[in-house]
């Protein structure tokens, strides 16, 4: 376990620019000592470049496994630089996720895993959370069935090793399109953030179990329109949670929001933008030890602690 009073953060993400380049839709590493000020490693170039499938990756997410003590990064098998057409990829996009595996955050192996339903038009924004009740991971993502004809729903599968996955099942289905789900655990409760793709805002739910019934919380995030890619993590100072939201419609960048009470679902926008030197897009944040932080800096360049 990581000492919560003495740790740092790793943010895996991809990049948005006005131009189209193949290297933007790959995995970038940014690190932080406080979760507020970030440094992008490897001279602001990708740390991981997908050579499989669509040869691009979006929406990377990282987890530390208590089962085999490895790190896993999963992401969307997609390159819009090559594909170009959003409508087309929803009908015939990849049914796979990209999986990277590592024991040290430095050396990684890559594989493609098919997780989507047989008629899925796409498998987008996969994330994972450890399920304490069953000692495995719940992996979830957004898909449109019938090759893009149906609305976006959230599906899930279970795995222990990110190689063998159970048959996909529906996880969230609503009247509206739902994408970009992320889940965090605090004090035995699971908080689930999702993007209502019809309204273009964020919903918040809570449950005592990952596969139990979730209760919708009344949140002020519903008033934010044109946001996506939620990423939530706990800051090590001030008993405060940070929720990153990608304001893709107008500001076109991540903006932090804070709360000291997840159950309230009330978030306050930061007075400052995300302090990061690149235009980061949809990713995930994981706590790392000081030794892991320094190892990343040594491998890819940056400021050590």
């Amino acid at each position: 376990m990581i000492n919560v009073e003495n740790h740092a953060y790793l943010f895996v993400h991809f990049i948005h620019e006005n131009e189209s380049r193949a290297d933007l839709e790959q995995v970038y590493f940014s690190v932080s000592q406080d979760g507020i000020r970030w440094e992008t490693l490897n001279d602001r170039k990708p740390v991981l470049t997908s050579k499989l499938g669509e040869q691009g990756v979006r929406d990377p997410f990282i987890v530390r496994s208590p089962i085999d003590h490895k790190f896993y990064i999963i992401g969307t098998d997609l390159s819009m630089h090559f594909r170009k057409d959003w409508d087309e990829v929803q009908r015939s996009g990849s049914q796979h996720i990209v999986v990277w595996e590592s024991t040290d955050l430095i050396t990684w192996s890559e594989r493609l895993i098919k997780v989507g339903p047989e008629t899925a038009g796409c498998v987008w924004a996969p994330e994972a959370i450890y399920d304490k009740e069953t000692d495995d991971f719940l992996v979830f993502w957004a898909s449109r069935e019938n090759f893009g004809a149906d609305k976006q729903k959230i599906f899930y599968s279970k795995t222990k090793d990110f190689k063998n996955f159970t048959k996909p099942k529906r996880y969230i289905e609503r009247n509206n399109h739902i994408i970009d789900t992320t889940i965090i655990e605090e004090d035995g409760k699971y908080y689930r953030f999702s993007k209502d793709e019809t309204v273009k805002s964020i919903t918040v739910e809570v449950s005592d179990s990952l596969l139990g019934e979730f209760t919708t919380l009344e949140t002020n995030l519903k008033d934010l329109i044109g946001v996506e890619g939620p990423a939530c993590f706990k800051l090590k100072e001030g008993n405060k949670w940070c929720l990153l939201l990608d304001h893709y419609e107008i500001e076109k960048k991540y903006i932090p929001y804070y709360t000291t009470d997840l159950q309230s679902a009330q978030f306050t926008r930061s007075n400052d933008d995300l302090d990061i030197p690149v235009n980061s897009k949809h990713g995930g944040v994981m706590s790392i030890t000081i030794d892991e932080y320094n190892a990343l800096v040594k491998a890819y360049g940056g400021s050590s602690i």
Side-chain angles (χ1 to χ4, degrees):
M1 297 293 292
I2 292 179
N3 181 354
V4 295
E5 300 300 327
N6 186 26
H7 71 273
Y9 302 89
L10 171 61
F11 180 27
V12 299
H13 55 89
F14 72 109
I15 295 292
H16 167 77
E17 297 288 358
N18 291 327
E19 60 182 314
S20 175
R21 300 200 320 261
D23 65 318
L24 300 179
E25 295 169 298
Q26 303 295 347
V27 182
Y28 291 73
F29 282 9
S30 294
V31 293
S32 174
Q33 298 178 34
D34 59 9
I36 297 173
R37 292 169 289 273
W38 297 86
E39 181 177 16
T40 303
L41 302 180
N42 202 33
D43 197 26
R44 304 181 187 178
K45 297 175 182 177
V47 169
L48 299 173
T49 299
S50 179
K51 302 296 184 182
L52 304 176
E54 302 283 308
Q55 298 186 23
V57 62
R58 300 169 67 95
D59 324 313
F61 186 81
I62 187 168
V63 292
R64 181 194 303 267
S65 174
I67 301 171
D68 56 17
H69 307 291
K70 294 179 180 180
F71 301 96
Y72 294 97
I73 293 174
I74 57 178
T76 304
D77 177 31
L78 174 64
S79 172
M80 288 309 299
H81 173 75
F82 297 119
R83 281 284 199 153
K84 308 297 184 185
D85 188 336
W86 275 111
D87 180 65
E88 187 270 334
V89 299
Q90 293 185 66
R91 289 182 281 106
S92 61
S94 176
Q95 295 178 334
H96 296 73
I97 60 172
V98 185
V99 179
W100 281 275
E101 176 182 318
S102 176
T103 59
D104 59 6
L105 294 174
I106 308 300
T107 303
W108 296 86
S109 61
E110 182 190 14
R111 58 181 174 266
L112 279 181
I113 300 291
K114 185 178 182 301
V115 298
E118 291 300 325
T119 64
C122 57
V123 171
W124 284 355
E127 295 201 10
I129 185 170
Y130 177 65
D131 190 337
K132 297 177 182 178
E133 296 180 11
T134 52
D135 189 33
D136 58 11
F137 278 90
L138 180 81
V139 180
F140 47 95
W141 65 90
S143 281
R144 297 181 72 156
E145 294 181 280
N146 296 319
F147 302 107
D150 291 351
K151 63 188 174 186
Q152 291 275 11
K153 312 176 188 73
I154 304 298
F155 289 79
Y156 82 90
S157 178
K158 301 298 285 293
T159 185
K160 286 181 178 289
D161 56 10
F162 290 86
K163 295 178 181 177
N164 301 290
F165 288 75
T166 61
K167 184 178 179 179
K169 297 180 180 180
R170 292 180 186 177
Y171 190 37
I172 308 174
E173 181 176 4
R174 299 176 185 158
N175 292 331
N176 290 351
H177 294 268
I178 299 297
I179 65 169
D180 288 3
T181 294
T182 191
I183 305 173
I184 53 173
E185 187 268 337
E186 172 73 355
D187 291 336
K189 292 186 179 297
Y190 295 96
Y191 295 87
R192 194 165 71 180
F193 301 80
S194 301
K195 180 190 178 185
D196 183 322
E197 178 67 342
T198 302
V199 178
K200 313 298 184 186
S201 64
I202 303 298
T203 63
V204 186
E205 304 164 280
V206 64
S207 178
D208 295 325
S209 174
L210 284 170
L211 293 180
E213 182 177 350
F214 277 77
T215 300
T216 300
L217 298 177
E218 184 65 26
T219 177
N220 60 344
L221 297 177
K222 69 179 186 302
D223 299 324
L224 291 173
I225 306 301
V227 295
E228 63 185 10
C232 193
F233 61 97
K234 192 173 187 178
L235 298 172
K236 63 182 180 181
E237 296 182 1
N239 191 35
K240 185 162 56 176
W241 290 82
C242 177
L243 175 66
L244 299 179
L245 294 178
D246 180 2
H247 285 239
Y248 69 93
E249 192 168 79
I250 299 177
E251 290 96 335
K252 300 186 184 304
K253 57 187 174 184
Y254 259 127
I255 294 177
Y257 290 77
Y258 299 114
T259 188
T260 57
D261 181 9
L262 287 171
Q263 186 71 38
S264 74
Q266 301 301 301
F267 289 81
T268 302
R269 177 171 172 162
S270 169
N271 292 325
D272 302 309
D273 295 337
L274 183 65
D275 189 351
I276 190 170
V278 294
N279 292 327
S280 55
K281 288 286 289 182
H282 199 156
V285 178
M286 182 184 74
S287 296
I288 56 176
T289 66
I290 300 304
D291 287 344
E292 290 165 347
Y293 177 101
N294 286 329
L296 284 167
V297 165
K298 182 178 179 180
Y300 299 112
S303 302
S304 61
I305 297 177

